[in-house]
Amino acid sequence: MEPHLGLKIQADLGVGIYSAERVHRMSLELRVQELRSDATTSERLESILFSRTDRFEFTSDAGAVRTEVFTLARSPIRFGRGTSTGHVIELTEENQATFLIPTRGRLGVRVVGRDYNAEEGSMLSLHPHRRRSVVAPADDGRYAALVMMLPIAQFSTYSSSDGSRPFLGGRDGANLRSAEARRLQSYLGFMIGDILADPWQGPPERSARGMLALVEDLLRDLIAAGTDTVGPPPRVRAASAQRVRGAEELLRERADEPLSIAALADELGIGLRSLQLSFREVYGLTPRELLGRIRLERARERLLAGDPSAQVTTVALDCGFTHLSRFAGAYHRAFGERSSETLRRRRA
C-alpha cells in the first residue's frame, strides 16, 4: 500500500499568505501564488518560480497574475502553469533552466542583449541568467503558459555526449522546434493540465514516478537531438540487432514498472543514443514507442481474459500506463475499438 503523503498548498495573495495542508495518497507538492493590484508597479515581488524578481509591472490598471507550481515524487523538476492579464518582469534566475510554453498570447524575453520570442504552440528554453520578459495577452485579454524548471547542473545527467558541447550550444536561450521538442511539449501540456485540473485527486506514487521517467526520457531525446551529430547508420548491423534483443527482453520483463529508458541503457552497458539508433534501425521505433506497444498488448490480453472482476482502469494502471485518457486514445488507435468495448464483448 502506498504511504500517505502530505499535499501542501501555499497561496501568496498579494502581501497576505494563506497556507493549508491536507494528507492524501499521492506524492505531490503544490504552491499557488496570486497577485491582484490596481497599482502598476511592485518592486522586488517575491516569486514562487524564480530566484529573484527585481521589478514587476502590470500593463493594465487592474492586473492579475496566477502561478501554480508543483513537484512530483520529491523530484527537483518543477512543473507549472501561469496566467496573466499582461505584465513586464525583470528577474534573475540563478541555477534553474526554464522551459516556457505559451498556450495563449505572446512572450518576449531579452537576455544579454538578445531577444527571444514565443507564441502559442511554441517552446522557449532559457539558461539561468538575468532577463526581462514582456507578457502580452491574446485578444481576449488573457495570457497563459506552461513551465518546467530544473537545475542546470542536472542536464549533464541527461546528456549522451561527452559533456564538451553544452545544451543549446552554450547559448542563453533558444526557440525549440525539433520533433523531440514537440513531443516533450505535447506531453507537458497533457500532464500539467491533467494534474492541475484536480490536484486533490493527483497521481499516486507509482504513477508519479512513471510520469517523471517519461519526462526525463523526452528530455534526453531533446538534448541528444540538439548536441549529437551522429546520424543513423545506413543498414541494420549485427551489433544493433543484439542491442535491441537484449533491451526488448528487459522491456517485456518490466513493462508494468515506471521504466526509464536511460536506466535501461545503463544496465545494458551501452549509450542511450546508441540504443535509440539501434531501435530505429531494427524496428523504426524508439524504445519508448515499443514499450507503449508492449503495454497495449498486455492490456488487451487482460481485457480479453474474461475476468469478471477486471476493470479498465485497474488493467491500464497495472500494465504501466499513467494517464487513463492517453491509454484510451492509444488503445482505440491500436485495436479499432474502445477498451470498455473489448471488456464488454468478452463478457458477453
Side-chain angles (χ1 to χ4, degrees), residues 154-226:
Q154 194 168 346
F155 274 111
S156 63
T157 66
Y158 299 137
S159 177
S160 59
S161 69
D162 59 8
S164 61
R165 291 167 296 171
F167 181 50
L168 303 183
R171 290 174 293 164
D172 295 301
N175 294 99
L176 304 177
R177 300 185 178 91
S178 65
E180 291 81 7
R182 289 194 297 272
R183 284 194 288 269
L184 175 60
Q185 178 181 335
S186 175
Y187 185 70
L188 288 176
F190 182 86
M191 185 193 76
I192 294 171
D194 187 57
I195 289 176
L196 291 180
D198 187 0
W200 294 111
Q201 299 299 321
E205 178 84 9
R206 177 176 171 176
S207 294
R209 287 188 287 112
M211 293 175 193
L212 286 169
L214 179 52
V215 168
E216 290 178 346
D217 281 341
L218 291 171
L219 266 172
R220 288 183 175 95
D221 290 345
L222 174 61
I223 294 170

